Amino acid sequence: MAGTEIKLTEQRRVILEELRKVRTHPSADAVYDLVRKRLPRISLGTVYRNLEAMSERGMIRKLGGCQCQMRFDADVTNHYHVRCLKCGRVDDVAVETCEVLERALRERSDYAILGHHVEFIGFCPSCRCAGEDERSDQPEGAGER
Amino acid sequence: MAGTEIKLTEQRRVILEELRKVRTHPSADAVYDLVRKRLPRISLGTVYRNLEAMSERGMIRKLGGCQCQMRFDADVTNHYHVRCLKCGRVDDVAVETCEVLERALRERSDYAILGHHVEFIGFCPSCRCAGEDERSDQPEGAGER
DNA sequence: ACAACTAATAGGAATGATTACTATTCGCGG
DNA sequence: CCGCGAATAGTAATCATTCCTATTAGTTGT
C-alpha cells in the first residue's frame, strides 16, 4: 500500500501544487483554505484523504509535533524543524541531519528503525520580542488549537 | 505561570505516583484508568488539567508525536524516544542527547531555542515479527488514534 | 455515442481527544 | 462554625479527523 500507484486527479494535483508553493507547513485545514480558492467545491474530507494518501507514498511529509494538529510539508528531503511554543509557527532548520544518531540506536535497540525526526522548540522572532523582559511569565503557550 | 507553586492535592499526588510507576508513556486516558483504581471518583477532566499543570511546571513531560494523542512521561531528564509505527508503543532510547545540534542551531536561527526532541520511528520487536516477509505491505500504519 | 465498472469525490454525520463550564466540595485562617 | 479561594466531578461543547453514502468522473469494450 505504501508504494502503490496513485492517479493524479485534479484535486490531488492542486493540493500538491498549493503545498509546494508555501513554506509554512500548513495544517490540513489551512491546505483546505488554499485549495478552495482554486476548487471552491472541494470537500475537507478529500483534502484529508489525499494528504494522507500522498504522505503514505512519500510524496509529501506529515509532521507530528506537540500539538494536536498535523502539519504537512511538500519537501520530503531529510530536514529538521523548529516550532514556536507561542504561536505554533513551524520553520525548517539549517542543520545537517544527524545520521550518527540512527546508527547508534540501531545497535542498541530491538526496534527496526526506519528514521527519525528532530524538532526544536523555542520562540520565533516575532514572539520572542513580544516578551523580552526576562523569561518568567511568557511560556503559557504549548497549547493552542 | 510556568514556575508557580502548585498544591499537591490527593488527586495530583496519585497521578504523579502512578505515572512514576510505569515505563509505558501512557496517554491521558491510560493515566485516567490507572488512577481510577485508587480514586474511583476522579474525573477525566481533572486528569487532563493536572497533567497539563504538572507538565507546565516541568514536573512531568508531555510527548507530542505523529499521532493525535498526547503521551506523558514522569522522567523529565533529557532523553529520546522511539515510537512503533504499527502499535503506537513508545520506549526510551539509549543514546546520549546531542547538545551539539542545539548549539549549531542557535548560531543559525533567529529563534530563541529552548530545547529539542528526537523521536525515532520504526517497528517494535513484536510488530516487526508480525510482518517479516519483505517490507511491502505492512506499513499501512502511521495513522492510528 | 453507450453500457458497465471502478476509483474518487462532495457533503454531512460520527468519532475520539481535549477543553470549557458550573455547581459542589475541600482545606484553611479566623 | 463561617467565609473564602482553589480544586474537583460531571457533563456539555469544541476541534481535528475519519467514516459513510449517494453521486460523479474516468476508462474500457462495443
Side-chain angles (χ1 to χ4, degrees):
Chain A
M1 182 175 269
T4 322
E5 261 322 309
I6 197 179
K7 209 182 298 180
L8 204 60
T9 62
E10 167 118 47
Q11 285 88 339
R12 287 207 254 266
R13 191 172 48 71
V14 172
I15 290 173
L16 199 52
E17 283 174 11
E18 290 301 316
L19 190 56
R20 281 180 177 155
K21 272 190 204 163
V22 297
R23 301 265 87 203
T24 53
H25 307 82
S27 63
D29 212 60
V31 172
Y32 178 53
D33 286 341
L34 291 171
V35 170
R36 218 163 13 153
K37 289 180 191 151
R38 293 171 55 189
L39 304 174
R41 299 182 50 78
I42 198 172
S43 94
L44 182 56
T46 300
V47 172
Y48 272 104
R49 182 164 20 79
N50 288 329
L51 285 173
E52 185 63 35
M54 291 193 285
S55 76
E56 265 172 17
R57 287 165 180 79
M59 300 166 68
I60 63 174
R61 214 171 127 183
K62 187 166 155 187
L63 310 180
C66 310
Q67 301 172 140
C68 199
Q69 196 174 161
M70 292 294 154
R71 282 163 170 272
F72 297 86
D73 190 346
D75 180 359
V76 292
T77 63
N78 264 359
H79 63 281
Y80 298 156
H81 296 101
V82 221
R83 182 187 301 263
C84 177
L85 260 184
K86 190 99 181 270
C87 68
R89 172 177 153 193
V90 178
D91 277 309
D92 290 334
V93 139
V95 284
E96 322 272 299
T97 65
C98 194
E99 303 304 332
V100 189
L101 280 175
E102 234 170 271
R103 240 172 291 136
L105 182 55
R106 259 186 254 272
E107 288 164 17
R108 287 180 232 178
S109 165
D110 289 332
Y111 273 69
I113 304 298
L114 296 177
H116 72 285
H117 304 314
V118 176
E119 185 176 85
F120 295 89
I121 55 170
F123 293 110
C124 73
S126 321
C127 292
R128 72 188 294 188
C129 294
E132 281 236 306
D133 319 282
E134 286 125 84
R135 98 273 300 279
S136 60
D137 44 78
Q138 285 314 310
E140 43 107 276
E144 279 102 8
R145 309 207 59 171
Chain B
M1 181 176 269
T4 322
E5 261 320 308
I6 196 180
K7 208 183 298 180
L8 204 60
T9 62
E10 167 118 46
Q11 286 86 339
R12 288 206 254 264
R13 191 171 47 72
V14 173
I15 289 173
L16 199 51
E17 284 174 10
E18 291 301 316
L19 191 55
R20 281 178 177 157
K21 272 190 203 163
V22 297
R23 302 264 90 203
T24 53
H25 310 80
S27 62
D29 211 60
V31 172
Y32 178 53
D33 286 340
L34 291 172
V35 170
R36 218 162 16 151
K37 291 180 189 152
R38 294 171 55 186
L39 304 174
R41 298 182 53 78
I42 198 172
S43 95
L44 182 56
T46 300
V47 172
Y48 271 105
R49 182 162 22 78
N50 288 329
L51 285 172
E52 184 64 34
M54 291 192 286
S55 75
E56 266 172 16
R57 288 166 181 80
M59 300 166 68
I60 63 174
R61 214 171 126 184
K62 187 167 153 186
L63 310 180
C66 313
Q67 303 171 140
C68 199
Q69 195 174 162
M70 292 295 154
R71 283 163 170 272
F72 298 87
D73 190 346
D75 180 358
V76 293
T77 63
N78 263 358
H79 63 280
Y80 298 155
H81 295 100
V82 220
R83 181 185 302 261
C84 177
L85 260 184
K86 187 101 180 272
C87 69
R89 173 176 153 194
V90 177
D91 278 308
D92 292 335
V93 139
V95 284
E96 322 272 298
T97 65
C98 194
E99 304 305 330
V100 189
L101 280 175
E102 233 170 272
R103 239 172 291 135
L105 182 56
R106 258 185 257 272
E107 288 164 17
R108 289 180 232 177
S109 165
D110 290 332
Y111 273 69
I113 303 298
L114 295 177
H116 72 284
H117 303 315
V118 176
E119 186 177 84
F120 296 89
I121 55 169
F123 294 110
C124 73
S126 320
C127 293
R128 71 188 294 190
C129 294
E132 281 235 304
D133 318 280
E134 286 126 82
R135 95 276 296 283
S136 60
D137 43 78
Q138 284 314 307
E140 45 106 274
E144 277 104 10
R145 320 201 56 174

